[in-house]
Amino acid sequence: MKARTLLLTLALCFVAVAVSFADNPNLGTWKLNESKSKIPPGFVKNTTVVYEAAGDSVKVTTDGTDKNGNPSHTEWTGKIDGKDYPLTGDPTADSRSYKKIDSHTMALANKKDGKVVASGRIVISADGKSRTLHLVGTDAAGKKVTSSAVYDKQ
């Protein structure tokens, strides 16, 4: 009887995790739509962004080019709970947080040594086929820079 109860409890936990990730429209592979995007020169350009389930967390992998046009690759694994989790591959930031605003909107913040260096908002379209990242950061001269990157779901 105890084994049966334990198995039923574990099965329900797995179903709950699957349902919670199924409710996340960010999951999947996203490709940059450069013609719809407004990314200033010298700003990082992520051409591919992948969101995938990683246990009870989410793993976000980006590939693209850095401000000098060199290949870039970042990885972040954490929860969408507004807390900072380590970010690798980005020389300008060492942690990132994501916070769910509503079913189609998230806020994000990149930090270096605890200080916000870039922040933004990700909005998924109503049909779930595109997402837009509005990002605000600073350039090398300390000037505020904004970008708007539109991605299509693959």
Side-chain angles (χ1 to χ4, degrees):
M1 184 66 176
K2 285 183 181 182
R4 182 184 222 180
T5 303
L6 180 62
L7 286 174
L8 182 58
T9 302
L10 284 173
L12 288 173
C13 287
F14 286 123
V15 168
V17 168
V19 167
S20 72
F21 282 121
D23 288 341
N24 186 344
N26 284 288
L27 294 182
T29 300
W30 300 88
K31 296 280 185 186
L32 180 66
N33 184 328
E34 290 193 55
S35 66
K36 293 182 179 179
S37 300
K38 294 180 179 128
I39 302 172
F43 215 73
V44 172
K45 187 186 301 183
N46 292 323
T47 53
T48 304
V49 180
V50 179
Y51 285 79
E52 58 189 315
D56 66 346
S57 296
V58 175
K59 180 178 181 182
V60 180
T61 305
T62 67
D63 288 291
T65 56
D66 66 14
K67 64 181 182 177
N68 298 316
N70 299 315
S72 68
H73 175 86
T74 68
E75 293 185 13
W76 176 92
T77 302
K79 296 182 181 181
I80 312 296
D81 60 5
K83 296 179 182 175
D84 296 337
Y85 294 91
L87 172 66
T88 60
D90 185 344
T92 66
D94 53 26
S95 68
R96 177 181 292 156
S97 65
Y98 287 93
K99 182 178 180 182
K100 183 177 177 178
I101 304 299
D102 61 38
S103 65
H104 283 74
T105 309
M106 289 192 306
L108 72 88
N110 284 357
K111 294 181 180 177
K112 180 75 169 185
D113 299 325
K115 181 182 176 189
V116 175
V117 294
S119 62
R121 188 171 284 241
I122 299 166
V123 180
I124 304 289
S125 64
D127 65 7
K129 294 180 180 178
S130 67
R131 68 191 280 274
T132 303
L133 167 62
H134 300 283
L135 195 63
V136 178
T138 53
D139 64 13
K143 181 181 174 188
K144 181 178 168 181
V145 182
T146 62
S147 76
S148 179
V150 178
Y151 294 86
D152 297 320
K153 194 160 197 175
Q154 301 302 296

